[in-house]
Amino acid sequence: MAKKKGGKSVALNVPIPSPIEPMLPAPATQAPFEGTPEGESPYDIVTAPISPSQEPQAEPYGRTYSNPSTRPVTPTVPVYEQPYEPPPHDDSPRTGPPPTSARSRTAFSPRTPRGPGPSASGEEPRMGDYFTKRRELLDVLKSLHSTGIQNELDLPQIVVIGSQSVGKSSLIESMSGLTLPRDTGTCTRCPMECRLQYGQVWSCKISLRFHVDRSGRQLATIRDVPFGATLYNAEDVEKMLRRAQRAILRPELDPTLFLDDSDLHVFGVPLTFSGNCVCIQVTGPNVPDLYFYDLPGIIANVGDGGNEADIRLVEDLAKSYIKKPNCIVLLVISCETDFENQGAGRLVLKDHALRQRTIGVLTKVDRIEFGGASKWLRMLRGEDQPLMHGWYCVKQRDLVQLQEGVTWEEARSFETEYFQTTSPWADLGPSGRSRLGSQKLADRLGNILSNLVSQELPGIRKTVTTELDKVNQRLKELAPPKISDPRRVVITLLRDFTKNLSKHIEGIPPMVNPADPTDTTSTGLLHSLNEEYERFRVKLHKTAPQFRPWTTTANVDSQTQKNMLDSAKQDDDAVGLGKTNSLHADEIMDLAKRHFDCLLPGNYPFSVKERLILESVRQWLALAHECFTEVKDIVVKHIIRIVEEHFKGYNNGGLKEAVSKITSEQIVKCAQATNKKIEGLFQSECSPYTQNDEYFLGYKTKMLTRYKLIHQELEGKTNLVTGLKAYDPNNSYSVNNNHSQWTYLNQAINNLQNFGMTVKAEDFIALLPQHDMTPALDIMAEVRAYFQVAYKRFGDNVPKQIDADFVRGIDGSDGSDGLDVALMSMDLSTEKCMEYLQEPASVIRERTSLAGKKQRLEAAQLKLERYYRG
């Protein structure tokens, strides 16, 4: 935290306890500071302005001192408030082999004491307690990851990301002591899970984790495949990691082919990148306690013949890891080029939330251009691009050292010597020097990770218990059924299905406001069929003869024609609406005369009327077939929904498929019979016939009166016709002033009533003088009357036939052998029924997946309980 002093801001280097430190006794070497503001993070960055005289001089860059004690000490201001980090020392018993040299012991082992020796008050055991506690936390994290539970839970982890060729692999080598594969360009082409842990004997285990297929889709079951035997020679690791990565990039091949390079002789194209993972577990006496993932470097472009999609694939892979709240991001930035040009830096530094859980690493510090060190020093001090956990600087082996075979133990010593003797790093104060070198970075990462584990472990424990309860409940729901008599179960299923189908055919009340209006199981099957039958009758009615009771030469304007059609529609709403060609009175008269033979005057052959009737009837067969096709589609879709719902749990053994096949055959049989019946109904309508005399004659009289009325109006007797239509017996002056004329009409109507004949004034229109079009009007009225009788009959018979022979024929409710009989023809042997009742593959897969998840959760729960029990 910053504090004003003498008009200048300085930073107080105040130790603040880390999340695990309340468990440990406070160190005697440094008293706690009591002025820390509430809620301030132990990793908060203090960006305190300092005077130029306080800043270490970076020029000339690269100045070295032969004796570190002679280098000038420039006053510096610590800029990061650090949590208390005790000296790395562990007094727990060790039985592993000692380091091979003093240099390796000093430069590589994170447990080499760096601070003052043990005090009289017993400080050394306290440091041992600290590292013992930290190792226990990292042990429990490792054990949780070993169960595979990280796929279900957001476990604390460190993820290393950086752009292509920034030295990520070299950084990991410096922390782990491994030699990773090196190539020109991108070296890492899949995630690498690195588990580093202290052990008595150095060893390395490699395994492959497959959780996505070749196209990147999630696998139902995660596969962890051991890759080769345990390695005890570090020199063998690089070769095996190359083979392991090739195995990840060709997931279709057996991983054992890669152990002896046999895969190189198998034709095929490997993936360029993969989301599957190579897992490395390293233990040894000089290995730091760390757990992290190394991801492929972020790429900005691809070479000739490369896949542009790889750029997005690698970036999305990085995002999928770093988006997890418990992920600590280790951002690697190369000092060889501007950080603004490095994609990984843009990915992290533009996100404020990611900054709060990121620790930065500056690599290749020995390649900084002359005069360019100041910007990197500002980042190290937190003045530029500040991160919650700050920035560190490391120096890896250069090309000459690689060629000379310098070991990592020696390289670690050279790194320490470089930072102690080379300007501007040698000029830094204690706070700056605490952030130089791979050793300090590894220690810091171990502290951050163990602190996060300590903080998240109670929540992880609770989540494991909750998830385990959910898995057990779901497994209980998916428990395999116990079947003692499979034949009985199958036959019961078939009978219940046909009973359910019969209920739908008989009619189930529709739902109110169904979610899917097209789902007839909700809207009601009969309701949907009746709607289709009504559409059929409307289409049938539109085939009515379109007669015009006036001549083609009549001067009829459009308004008069409309009025006359409106008058005709009072008795027939199909007039003027149909598809049948319109015929005028003179055209009907001409047709009648051409058919005239040796008949008595005033008589015309029936063939004239028959021809006019068939003009409409010949359209009916296509309409009937169209109606049946629509009905069949509705019924088939309805039955398919019922089959899917009733047998949804029996698809794996073929029961649903067998039922669907027999049901389809029954539908086809009933459809063929129905089509024949419809054709028979149509043929019968091609020969005009009716016994419905009363309706026929009554409708003919009505239509003839209408036709004559329209014709008389056009013959110039409009006033008389209008008067008769508008006559009011109670008001003789309602039409005109000729009172005597309407008096005579009243007397005629009264006299006819005395004879028992009830007439209206309008009926006298029929008594008007005949004209030469009267036979045509009579033909028109008779044909139109017969159509009315025939279309109603056909419009009833077709739906009735479809319902009887098709809809009810399917389930046999018409008395025939229905679907219930057909289903009994299936193979219902005990063996076949057992096969029918096999569980769905999806249920088996889910239960298998849940069983694996349960195993992982139980293993995690056991390890957590052991940790908490001590």
Side-chain angles (χ1 to χ4, degrees):
M1 56 185 294
K3 190 173 182 180
K4 290 285 185 179
K5 183 177 180 180
K8 297 185 182 238
S9 295
V10 298
L12 299 179
N13 198 12
V14 179
I16 300 176
S18 68
I20 66 169
E21 285 168 8
M23 310 176 193
L24 308 177
T29 57
Q30 192 162 3
F33 180 71
E34 298 179 354
T36 303
E38 181 179 357
E40 188 172 10
S41 169
Y43 309 113
D44 283 344
I45 298 170
V46 179
T47 54
I50 59 177
S51 66
S53 63
Q54 292 175 305
E55 183 173 349
Q57 300 299 316
E59 310 302 347
Y61 178 77
R63 181 174 68 235
T64 61
Y65 303 91
S66 58
N67 184 357
S69 63
T70 64
R71 64 177 174 82
V73 179
T74 304
T76 58
V77 179
V79 293
Y80 290 96
E81 296 188 11
Q82 304 258 6
Y84 171 67
E85 295 185 16
H89 179 76
D90 190 353
D91 60 350
S92 58
R94 302 283 178 87
T95 58
T100 58
S101 67
R103 168 176 286 181
S104 65
R105 182 170 61 252
T106 301
F108 188 68
S109 173
R111 292 160 183 82
T112 302
R114 294 175 301 176
S119 65
S121 60
E123 183 64 22
E124 185 175 4
R126 287 184 158 187
M127 300 305 101
D129 291 343
Y130 177 86
F131 281 103
T132 299
K133 194 67 178 179
R134 190 177 86 167
R135 186 172 300 119
E136 288 176 356
L137 288 168
L138 295 180
D139 279 347
V140 73
L141 177 63
K142 180 187 78 76
S143 64
L144 289 175
H145 277 276
S146 68
T147 66
I149 201 65
Q150 68 270 19
N151 300 304
E152 281 84 25
L153 302 178
D154 179 19
L155 295 179
Q157 61 187 14
I158 296 173
V159 172
V160 185
I161 69 168
S163 297
Q164 185 179 10
S165 302
V166 296
K168 270 192 317 91
S169 298
S170 297
L171 173 64
I172 293 171
E173 289 176 345
S174 67
M175 291 190 297
S176 65
L178 296 174
T179 300
L180 301 181
R182 290 178 176 275
D183 290 303
T184 302
T186 302
C187 306
T188 307
R189 295 192 170 271
C190 67
M192 288 197 177
E193 178 188 274
C194 300
R195 305 179 191 176
L196 311 180
Q197 188 181 22
Y198 169 79
Q200 296 179 359
V201 179
W202 190 94
S203 66
C204 177
K205 295 180 180 179
I206 300 175
S207 62
L208 311 177
R209 180 179 300 142
F210 296 94
H211 62 92
V212 294
D213 61 14
R214 188 178 178 89
S215 61
R217 290 189 297 266
Q218 193 75 25
L219 295 176
T221 304
I222 299 170
R223 294 190 297 129
D224 280 303
V225 182
F227 191 76
T230 302
L231 304 176
Y232 295 97
N233 187 346
E235 295 179 356
D236 297 333
V237 174
E238 179 184 4
K239 179 173 61 178
M240 289 300 289
L241 287 180
R242 287 182 181 275
R243 293 169 173 172
Q245 184 166 253
R246 292 206 312 266
I248 288 291
L249 297 178
R250 298 192 67 180
E252 71 279 4
L253 298 183
D254 185 347
T256 58
L257 290 175
F258 298 83
L259 295 174
D260 58 359
D261 295 331
S262 297
D263 63 294
L264 300 176
H265 305 290
V266 180
F267 178 77
V269 179
L271 298 170
T272 51
F273 292 92
S274 174
N276 292 320
C277 189
V278 174
C279 303
I280 312 166
Q281 182 177 354
V282 180
T283 60
N286 295 325
V287 177
D289 293 313
L290 274 180
Y291 190 103
F292 58 87
Y293 286 86
D294 177 29
L295 302 184
I298 303 297
I299 53 179
N301 50 65
V302 294
D304 295 339
N307 187 354
E308 291 287 341
D310 288 342
I311 299 175
R312 181 65 179 272
L313 188 151
V314 172
E315 184 171 324
D316 289 345
L317 180 63
K319 289 179 179 178
S320 70
Y321 275 81
I322 66 178
K323 70 180 180 181
K324 299 177 181 178
N326 283 334
C327 173
I328 299 298
V329 181
L330 181 59
L331 174 63
V332 182
I333 296 292
S334 170
C335 295
E336 196 174 19
T337 182
D338 292 338
F339 71 87
E340 294 90 350
N341 298 328
Q342 301 181 42
R346 293 194 302 271
L347 187 65
V348 174
L349 298 177
K350 69 180 180 180
D351 190 328
H352 176 73
L354 279 178
R355 285 175 175 265
Q356 303 307 305
R357 45 187 177 86
T358 296
I359 181 169
V361 185
L362 302 177
T363 63
K364 303 184 180 181
V365 295
D366 54 329
R367 302 185 189 179
I368 298 176
E369 295 181 355
F370 182 82
S374 58
K375 65 177 180 181
W376 304 111
L377 288 171
R378 287 196 299 272
M379 292 176 67
L380 187 66
R381 292 193 297 265
E383 297 170 358
D384 188 18
Q385 303 299 331
L387 300 174
M388 174 63 75
H389 301 299
W391 290 87
Y392 281 75
C393 289
V394 297
K395 179 189 178 301
Q396 295 92 16
R397 292 180 294 180
D398 56 27
L399 182 60
V400 174
Q401 290 173 333
L402 286 172
Q403 292 174 347
E404 293 177 350
V406 173
T407 65
W408 277 111
E409 291 87 346
E410 294 170 336
R412 183 67 61 84
S413 179
F414 293 154
E415 180 188 45
T416 302
E417 183 178 352
Y418 174 83
F419 284 123
Q420 288 178 349
T421 61
T422 305
S423 176
W425 319 111
D427 302 328
L428 295 175
S431 177
R433 290 198 301 273
S434 69
R435 295 178 173 273
L436 301 177
S438 305
Q439 179 67 61
K440 295 184 176 67
L441 174 63
D443 289 346
R444 181 67 166 145
L445 289 172
N447 286 342
I448 291 174
L449 186 58
S450 61
N451 291 349
L452 183 60
V453 174
S454 176
Q455 175 184 332
E456 296 296 327
L457 214 52
I460 293 173
R461 184 186 187 190
K462 181 178 179 181
T463 302
V464 167
T465 301
T466 302
E467 288 297 312
L468 190 56
D469 290 341
K470 291 180 181 178
V471 168
N472 286 330
Q473 177 61 33
R474 183 58 180 159
L475 284 173
K476 184 177 179 181
E477 296 170 359
L478 296 176
K482 297 180 180 179
I483 302 172
S484 58
D485 188 349
R487 290 188 72 255
R488 182 178 180 181
V489 173
V490 171
I491 292 173
T492 301
L493 280 169
L494 296 177
R495 287 178 177 173
D496 289 344
F497 164 65
T498 54
K499 288 179 181 178
N500 186 29
L501 179 60
S502 296
K503 289 180 181 178
H504 282 265
I505 290 174
E506 290 297 327
I508 293 178
M511 295 176 59
V512 178
N513 298 325
D516 182 5
T518 64
D519 183 2
T520 54
T521 58
S522 300
T523 60
L525 176 61
L526 294 187
H527 172 74
S528 299
L529 295 183
N530 288 333
E531 286 185 334
E532 183 55 39
Y533 294 149
E534 183 58 31
R535 286 191 288 270
F536 167 66
R537 277 189 282 267
V538 170
K539 293 176 182 178
L540 207 61
H541 193 199
K542 290 182 179 180
T543 64
Q546 301 298 301
F547 293 136
R548 304 291 184 262
W550 59 84
T551 62
T552 55
T553 59
N555 187 16
V556 182
D557 56 65
S558 59
Q559 184 60 43
T560 302
Q561 181 171 329
K562 180 178 181 303
N563 293 338
M564 288 186 294
L565 288 176
D566 289 342
S567 175
K569 288 176 185 177
Q570 295 178 22
D571 295 304
D572 181 13
D573 58 4
V575 172
L577 299 177
K579 298 180 180 179
T580 307
N581 293 332
S582 59
L583 291 172
H584 293 74
D586 56 335
E587 292 174 322
I588 297 295
M589 199 65 203
D590 179 67
L591 181 64
K593 288 178 179 179
R594 284 188 283 110
H595 279 75
F596 184 81
D597 199 356
C598 300
L599 298 177
L600 295 175
N603 291 288
Y604 294 94
F606 177 72
S607 60
V608 177
K609 301 173 185 177
E610 184 179 37
R611 175 180 173 180
L612 294 173
I613 289 171
L614 293 180
E615 283 287 329
S616 297
V617 171
R618 66 166 56 101
Q619 304 175 53
W620 292 359
L621 182 61
L623 294 177
H625 281 310
E626 180 183 333
C627 173
F628 177 55
T629 299
E630 293 296 327
V631 168
K632 184 169 64 174
D633 288 345
I634 293 172
V635 172
V636 169
K637 289 178 181 178
H638 189 91
I639 294 176
I640 288 175
R641 285 191 173 101
I642 296 176
V643 171
E644 290 289 339
E645 179 63 25
H646 193 81
F647 297 99
K648 61 183 178 182
Y650 302 94
N651 191 39
N652 198 41
L655 179 58
K656 187 173 75 172
E657 182 181 356
V659 171
S660 297
K661 181 176 181 296
I662 293 177
T663 303
S664 297
E665 293 172 353
Q666 181 74 3
I667 289 173
V668 169
K669 184 181 75 172
C670 294
Q672 292 173 346
T674 304
N675 273 319
K676 291 180 180 179
K677 294 291 182 67
I678 290 175
E679 290 175 2
L681 290 174
F682 171 74
Q683 292 300 327
S684 67
E685 292 296 339
C686 291
S687 300
Y689 176 84
T690 182
Q691 287 290 328
N692 195 356
D693 296 347
E694 183 177 357
Y695 181 78
F696 170 72
L697 294 174
Y699 200 86
K700 176 186 175 182
T701 301
K702 183 188 297 184
M703 293 306 298
L704 182 60
T705 301
R706 288 293 175 192
Y707 291 157
K708 284 185 176 181
L709 176 63
I710 294 171
H711 191 81
Q712 292 292 350
E713 289 179 353
L714 293 176
E715 288 294 321
K717 299 179 181 179
T718 304
N719 291 337
L720 178 59
V721 171
T722 302
L724 290 172
K725 289 170 63 178
Y727 173 72
D728 183 359
N730 298 320
N731 183 7
S732 300
Y733 297 95
S734 60
V735 179
N736 54 42
N737 294 325
N738 192 344
H739 178 67
S740 59
Q741 178 180 348
W742 302 111
T743 300
Y744 296 147
L745 181 60
N746 281 336
Q747 291 176 354
I749 291 174
N750 292 332
N751 290 332
L752 289 173
Q753 288 176 348
N754 292 333
F755 283 96
M757 300 173 61
T758 302
V759 296
K760 298 178 294 184
E762 186 178 351
D763 296 334
F764 284 88
I765 296 175
L767 301 178
L768 292 173
Q770 297 292 317
H771 45 77
D772 59 352
M773 292 297 162
T774 298
L777 298 181
D778 187 75
I779 291 173
M780 292 164 63
E782 186 167 325
V783 170
R784 184 61 187 80
Y786 179 79
F787 172 85
Q788 197 70 13
V789 172
Y791 114 84
K792 286 182 176 292
R793 179 176 60 211
F794 194 72
D796 285 341
N797 286 341
V798 168
K800 181 180 178 181
Q801 203 71 56
I802 292 174
D803 185 71
D805 291 332
F806 180 71
V807 180
R808 297 182 182 277
I810 292 174
D811 78 325
S813 55
D814 64 340
S816 62
D817 290 342
L819 186 58
D820 54 345
V821 176
L823 289 174
M824 291 300 106
S825 65
M826 293 170 52
D827 182 356
L828 296 177
S829 63
T830 301
E831 295 76 13
K832 191 63 178 177
C833 288
M834 280 298 296
E835 181 181 336
Y836 285 149
L837 297 177
Q838 287 182 16
E839 293 181 287
S842 59
V843 173
I844 296 174
R845 285 195 301 268
E846 183 179 2
R847 189 166 56 236
T848 302
S849 175
L850 287 172
K853 183 176 181 179
K854 178 181 179 180
Q855 185 178 10
R856 293 190 294 272
L857 287 168
E858 287 178 338
Q861 187 180 56
L862 178 62
K863 294 180 183 298
L864 285 168
E865 293 306 318
R866 286 177 178 174
Y867 170 76
Y868 277 101
R869 286 198 303 265

